């Protein structure tokens, strides 16, 4: 067919066919988006190829979307459980190294074949680059080409099979991590406290120095004998018997109660003047500014009691930096609430718009980062390459949120679209490339190399899964990110989205990727040094 010689038509055909194939389920098993690579292999076997530029474009779009998604929670994730995740990834690389050495000894492979086996089975392009530079012959790339095919497919199949063997209840696993996050993002609550501490009588709110004691917010005050509550600002003077509504974490409310007075029951109801409203932050010029900088109380005569971010309530402190999509819980008069609503935006459609140039600029920066030489003691000078550079750019820029007038924020719906487009582009080209060479490389290097590739791919996956689950106690969904990150497997990471569409695997992947990258380069060099030519 003439149409098949058109690269764009071929690409679209592969994606559509793979998408439809991925929707087929046998009981509860399906390949989902990963089916694209299998369709592409068939086309590649019959000689239909796609340009490498499609692969590069797809790769950078997919990896950049992962960085953007994982960036805001990357640092906190690494602090919380990054050591355990990194150990899990290091186990994969080390076990792959051991398995490669064993196979080379058993089958008599030389250093170039062993290096290609190691980097291909663990799908590490940076590792291949190091090996080719050191051994300077074509055997390494050929061995890489053969073992890479199963390295890609094997991870996908392993993840699918593992979830079935372990009989994983994905919903329960999601709830397990959510419960863990709730412990580190404790829910906000409130308490009514009567002012009984004589040392506070006649003091202004700003003279209490609450921010120095505990992060709580006093939102309402009801004077003794009065029926109408008032808003609290820094100039409000406390009197004996005042009833305060204080918002904060439960443990902080217990502490502040010892300082202010006694807990009281009942409610300090809003009157006809004071209202409460949930307002979403959608104005991009506010992004990254602190709550104290906005000075909402003095400017609009309102009180922000708390902020809801990503489903969790956080204290409304002066140092809290504002994110797009934050929900402010605001108390004030109707007119004041209308004014602050205009100031903050509260335009939901804004959460789904994006500045396209910021995405391309971020990817451009990633390319530049990938070319920076990094001297590593004991390893030499290495570069992050396109994948590593774009990932770092996504992580850093999404954490920065904005630089001057450039906003790096990408709405989740837009980011998902970028991720899926990049994924399909990447899988299509990788599949046709693998399909074109798989038969030739099998004939040239024989069954031993194919068997070795399977061993070097599967052995680390089995061992690391056991270590992650039984020893490191890593939740299943995070373990998926550890496995795919340790294998530096982009298609494998893509397969995790068909198991769970939560960001937990992506965040773990981004956390362990640098460990896997450096580990692969180090052990590739070691293989060339210790295996005979």
């Amino acid at each position: 067919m003439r149409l098949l010689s058109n690269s764009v038509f071929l690409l679209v055909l592969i994606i559509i066919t793979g998408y439809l194939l991925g929707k087929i389920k046998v009981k509860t098993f399906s390949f989902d988006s990963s089916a694209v690579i299998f369709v592409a292999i068939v086309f590649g076997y019959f000689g239909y190829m796609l340009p490498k530029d499609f692969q590069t474009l797809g790769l950078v779009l997919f990896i950049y979307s992962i960085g953007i998604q994982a960036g805001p929670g990357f640092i906190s994730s690494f602090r919380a459980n990054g050591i355990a995740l990194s150990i899990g990834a290091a186990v994969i690389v080390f076990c792959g190294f051991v398995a490669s050495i064993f196979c080379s000894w058993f089958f008599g492979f030389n250093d170039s074949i062993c290096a290609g086996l190691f980097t291909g089975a663990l799908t590490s392009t940076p590792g291949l680059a190091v090996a080719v530079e050191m051994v300077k012959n074509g055997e390494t790339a050929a061995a890489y080409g053969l073992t890479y095919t199963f390295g890609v497919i094997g991870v996908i199949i392993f993840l699918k099979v593992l979830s079935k063997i372990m009989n994983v209840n994905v919903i329960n696993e999601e709830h397990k991590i959510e419960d863990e996050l709730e412990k580190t993002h404790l829910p906000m609550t409130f308490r009514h406290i009567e002012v009984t501490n004589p040392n506070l009588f006649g003091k202004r709110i700003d003279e209490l120095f609450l921010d120095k004691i505990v992060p709580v917010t006093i939102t309402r005050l009801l004077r003794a004998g009065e029926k109408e509550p008032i808003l609290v600002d820094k100039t409000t003077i406390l009197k004996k018997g005042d009833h305060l509504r204080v918002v904060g974490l439960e443990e902080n409310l217990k502490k502040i109660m010892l300082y202010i007075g006694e807990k009281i029951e009942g409610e300090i109801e809003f009157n006809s003047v004071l209202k409460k409203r949930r307002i979403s932050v959608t104005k991009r010029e506010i992004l990254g500014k602190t709550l104290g900088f906005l000075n909402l109380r003095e400017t609009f005569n309102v009180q922000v009691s708390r902020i809801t971010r990503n489903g969790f309530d956080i204290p409304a402190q002066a140092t809290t930096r504002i994110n797009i999509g934050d929900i402010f819980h605001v108390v004030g008069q109707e007119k004041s609430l209308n004014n602050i609503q205009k100031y903050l935006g509260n335009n939901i459609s804004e959460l789904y718009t994006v500045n396209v140039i910021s995405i391309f600029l971020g990817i451009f920066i990633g390319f530049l980062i990938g070319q920076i030489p990094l001297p590593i003691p004991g390893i030499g000078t290495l570069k992050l390459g396109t994948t590593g550079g774009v990932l770092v750019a996504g992580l850093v820029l999404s954490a920065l949120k904005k630089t001057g007038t450039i906003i790096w924020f990408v709405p989740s719906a837009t980011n998902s679209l970028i991720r899926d487009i990049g994924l399909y582009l990447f899988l299509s080209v990788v599949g046709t490339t693998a399909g074109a060479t798989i038969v030739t490389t099998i004939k040239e290097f024989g069954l031993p190399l194919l068997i070795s590739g399977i061993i070097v791919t599967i052995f680390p996956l089995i061992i690391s899964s056991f270590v992650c689950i039984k020893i490191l106690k890593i939740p299943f969904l995070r373990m998926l990110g550890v496995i795919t990150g340790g294998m530096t497997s982009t298609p494998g990471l893509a397969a995790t989205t068909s198991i769970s569409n939560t960001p937990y695997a992506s965040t773990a992947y981004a956390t362990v990727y640098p460990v896997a990258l450096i580990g692969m380069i180090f052990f590739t060099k070691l293989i060339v040094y210790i295996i005979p030519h």
Side-chain angles (χ1 to χ4, degrees):
M1 291 180 61
R2 289 185 177 181
L3 278 177
L4 291 179
S5 62
N6 185 305
S7 298
V8 176
F9 176 82
L10 178 60
L11 174 69
V12 172
L13 178 61
I14 290 173
I15 291 175
I16 292 176
T17 307
Y19 175 82
L20 295 176
L21 180 63
K23 291 296 181 182
I24 299 175
K25 287 190 175 182
V26 179
K27 293 185 178 181
T28 58
F29 181 86
S30 68
F31 284 111
D32 291 296
S33 58
S34 303
V36 173
I37 195 171
F38 296 104
V39 173
I41 286 174
V42 174
F43 277 94
Y45 173 75
F46 287 104
Y48 296 104
M49 302 296 295
L50 289 171
K52 288 288 185 181
D53 288 343
F54 284 174
Q55 177 179 330
T56 303
L57 177 61
L59 181 64
V60 297
L61 288 175
F62 181 78
I63 290 298
Y64 187 71
S65 73
I66 294 301
I68 288 291
Q69 181 184 39
F74 174 71
I75 298 299
S76 59
S77 173
F78 193 84
R79 288 173 180 170
N81 42 50
I83 295 178
L85 299 181
S86 298
I87 291 174
V91 168
I92 291 180
V93 179
F94 179 73
C95 288
F97 167 75
V98 171
S100 299
I101 295 296
F102 172 79
C103 290
S104 296
W105 167 79
F106 187 83
F107 291 111
F109 297 147
N110 59 24
D111 59 344
S112 58
I113 295 295
C114 183
L117 164 65
F118 176 59
T119 57
L122 270 65
T123 67
S124 175
T125 305
L128 173 65
V130 170
V132 170
E133 182 182 13
M134 294 183 69
V135 298
K136 293 180 172 41
N137 64 47
E139 290 183 338
T140 301
Y144 174 90
L146 175 60
T147 55
Y148 180 86
T149 302
F150 186 81
V152 172
I153 300 173
V155 175
I156 296 172
I157 295 175
F158 181 84
L159 294 177
K160 296 284 187 179
V161 172
L162 181 63
S163 62
K164 303 303 176 184
I165 292 177
M166 294 181 59
N167 194 27
V168 173
N169 186 316
V170 175
I171 295 178
N172 288 344
E173 290 295 325
E174 290 175 353
H175 288 164
K176 184 188 299 182
I177 298 182
E178 288 169 3
D179 292 341
E180 174 192 314
L181 292 175
E182 286 182 359
K183 292 179 181 178
T184 57
H185 298 79
L186 297 176
M188 301 284 289
T189 185
F190 64 88
R191 191 171 283 190
H192 294 123
I193 303 174
E194 180 177 338
V195 180
T196 60
N197 182 357
N199 296 319
L200 304 184
F201 299 164
K203 292 287 185 68
R204 294 177 12 147
I205 290 294
D206 59 356
E207 293 176 331
L208 303 183
F209 301 106
L210 293 180
D211 57 334
K212 304 294 184 182
I213 304 173
V214 286
V216 296
T217 304
I218 301 176
T219 60
R220 313 176 205 171
L221 182 150
L222 182 64
R223 298 291 187 190
E226 298 289 337
K227 294 183 179 180
E228 302 289 341
I230 63 174
L231 279 179
V232 174
D233 63 25
K234 64 182 180 180
T235 63
T236 302
I237 297 176
L238 296 182
K239 298 179 181 179
K240 180 180 180 180
D242 283 346
H243 289 181
L244 306 177
R245 181 184 177 101
V246 187
V247 178
L249 301 178
E250 182 65 32
E251 60 179 295
N252 293 331
L253 293 176
K254 291 179 181 179
K255 295 176 182 178
I256 204 63
M257 189 176 67
L258 298 175
Y259 179 58
I260 295 176
E262 301 176 354
K263 178 182 177 181
I264 56 175
E265 301 300 329
E267 175 64 87
I268 302 177
E269 296 288 353
F270 288 114
N271 55 27
S272 57
V273 177
L274 295 179
K275 306 290 184 182
K276 61 180 178 181
R277 190 178 297 178
R278 291 161 53 96
I279 302 175
S280 297
V281 177
T282 59
K283 287 287 186 66
R284 282 167 163 72
E285 53 266 29
I286 298 174
L287 179 66
K289 294 181 179 179
T290 64
L291 195 59
F293 177 84
L294 299 182
N295 198 19
L296 301 178
R297 179 66 184 88
E298 301 301 321
T299 306
F300 295 97
N301 192 32
V302 296
Q303 181 71 55
V304 180
S305 60
R306 68 186 189 276
I307 299 172
T308 300
R309 177 178 297 168
N310 298 327
F312 296 101
D313 288 336
I314 61 175
Q317 298 178 266
T319 56
T320 301
R321 293 198 174 273
I322 310 305
N323 284 351
I324 297 295
D326 282 351
I327 299 175
F328 281 24
H329 298 257
V330 189
V331 179
Q333 297 179 358
E334 183 76 23
K335 184 177 180 180
S336 297
L337 292 177
N338 291 338
N339 289 334
I340 192 175
Q341 181 169 299
K342 292 178 182 178
Y343 179 70
L344 297 178
N346 204 41
N347 184 357
I348 302 302
S349 64
E350 285 290 325
L351 297 176
Y352 297 93
T353 59
V354 63
N355 184 1
V356 176
I357 194 63
S358 69
I359 296 175
F360 287 105
L361 184 58
I363 293 174
F364 175 76
I365 293 172
F367 270 92
L368 297 181
I369 292 174
Q371 297 306 307
I372 298 174
L374 303 173
I376 306 296
I379 299 179
T381 300
L382 61 88
K383 297 179 180 179
L384 292 177
T386 301
T387 302
V390 171
L391 177 61
V392 169
L395 290 171
V396 173
L397 295 177
S398 62
L400 288 176
K401 300 179 180 65
K402 66 180 296 186
T403 305
T405 59
I406 301 175
I407 296 175
W408 307 111
F409 168 79
V410 177
S412 58
T414 304
N415 200 49
S416 296
L417 178 63
I418 295 171
R419 182 189 66 192
D420 291 343
I421 292 175
L423 170 64
Y424 287 136
L425 286 170
F426 176 75
L427 293 181
S428 298
V429 183
V430 167
T432 55
T433 302
T437 60
I438 189 168
V439 173
T440 302
T441 48
I442 288 176
K443 289 180 179 179
E444 185 174 352
F445 295 100
L447 192 60
L449 187 54
L450 182 62
I451 294 174
S452 298
I454 295 173
I455 293 173
V456 176
T457 296
I458 295 299
F459 177 69
L461 294 175
I462 294 174
I463 299 299
S464 63
S465 298
F466 175 82
V467 171
C468 287
I469 294 171
K470 298 298 183 181
I471 300 176
L472 300 175
K473 307 296 182 183
I474 297 174
F476 179 79
L477 297 181
R478 284 206 183 105
M479 183 192 70
L480 298 181
V482 172
I483 289 175
T484 55
M487 296 284 290
T488 61
S489 174
T490 305
L493 177 61
T496 65
T497 61
S498 64
I499 298 174
S500 172
N501 204 30
T502 58
Y504 306 132
S506 297
T507 304
Y509 178 97
T511 302
V512 306
Y513 181 87
V515 175
L517 177 68
I518 294 175
M520 283 296 305
I521 293 174
F522 174 79
F523 283 113
T524 300
K525 285 180 172 285
L526 194 59
I527 283 174
V528 176
Y529 285 137
I530 65 177
I531 298 295
H533 295 296

